[in-house]
Amino acid sequence: MTLTFEDFPQGPFGSFGPRHVTRDEIIAFASEFDPQPMHLDEEAASQSMLRGLSGSGWHLCSLMMRMMFDGFIGRTASLGSPGVNEVRWLSPLRPDDELMLDVEVLEARVSRSRPSTGIVTFKCSVRNKAGMRLCEMVSPIIVERRESCGQVG
């Protein structure tokens, strides 16, 4: 069943995961997209303020997006997003972290300019197995309303 605007009332939506992150993934992502020493080299990373090899914040955002897609966006009548309101990196992503994604609906409102759609603003938080929050993101997504998708009730 496709999720529509009406399936996203304000409040907690769900938790998704786990997603295991390896040292090799961290280094591969950093090598291509964020080749800073704390993401590539254990010795340099140990001398950094992060005190050890850590994944790029952009890697963490990419993982979060994949977890969102696998968890719910892939089965949502999503028309895309106008952008990201906020991203905060709170703690480092480490090799062998087991990630969980917690999703909350902050707001859901019918679009004034396109009433066949709604705008759902999500707050997504990624935490590791110890429960430490690593990243938070607040982002609106444009979602079709149920009657626009031809679904009843």
Side-chain angles (χ1 to χ4, degrees), residues 15-23 25-26 55 59-60 63-64 67 91-102 125-135:
S15 294
F16 307 95
R19 169 63 161 82
H20 182 80
V21 181
T22 67
R23 176 186 176 281
E25 284 178 281
I26 287 173
H59 186 187
L60 189 51
L63 292 166
M64 182 186 308
M67 293 174 78
S91 297
L93 172 65
R94 302 291 189 187
D96 295 320
D97 268 345
E98 293 283 335
L99 305 179
M100 290 295 294
L101 174 70
D102 299 314
S125 299
V126 174
R127 60 184 158 87
N128 63 17
K129 193 172 188 175
M132 183 180 301
R133 286 183 309 138
L134 307 183
C135 183

Side-chain angles (χ1 to χ4, degrees), residues 2-27:
T2 301
L3 298 173
T4 61
F5 171 78
E6 292 77 9
D7 295 310
F8 297 103
Q10 188 174 0
F13 180 71
S15 294
F16 307 95
R19 169 63 161 82
H20 182 80
V21 181
T22 67
R23 176 186 176 281
D24 290 344
E25 284 178 281
I26 287 173
I27 291 172

Side-chain angles (χ1 to χ4, degrees), residues 16-112:
F16 307 95
R19 169 63 161 82
H20 182 80
V21 181
T22 67
R23 176 186 176 281
D24 290 344
E25 284 178 281
I26 287 173
I27 291 172
F29 184 94
S31 294
E32 186 159 353
F33 300 108
D34 190 358
Q36 297 182 71
M38 69 282 241
H39 305 318
L40 292 171
D41 178 81
E42 308 238 6
E43 180 58 34
S46 71
Q47 303 302 313
S48 77
M49 70 178 199
L50 298 174
R51 301 197 186 283
L53 189 69
S54 65
S56 166
W58 299 114
H59 186 187
L60 189 51
C61 287
S62 296
L63 292 166
M64 182 186 308
M65 184 64 223
R66 183 63 203 220
M67 293 174 78
M68 289 171 62
F69 181 85
D70 291 346
F72 66 98
I73 290 177
R75 56 190 171 95
T76 297
S78 170
L79 299 174
S81 173
V84 173
N85 295 354
E86 177 182 332
V87 173
R88 294 181 47 208
W89 296 308
L90 305 169
S91 297
L93 172 65
R94 302 291 189 187
D96 295 320
D97 268 345
E98 293 283 335
L99 305 179
M100 290 295 294
L101 174 70
D102 299 314
V103 179
E104 176 183 357
V105 175
L106 295 180
E107 179 185 40
R109 65 175 180 79
V110 174
S111 171
R112 288 184 284 279

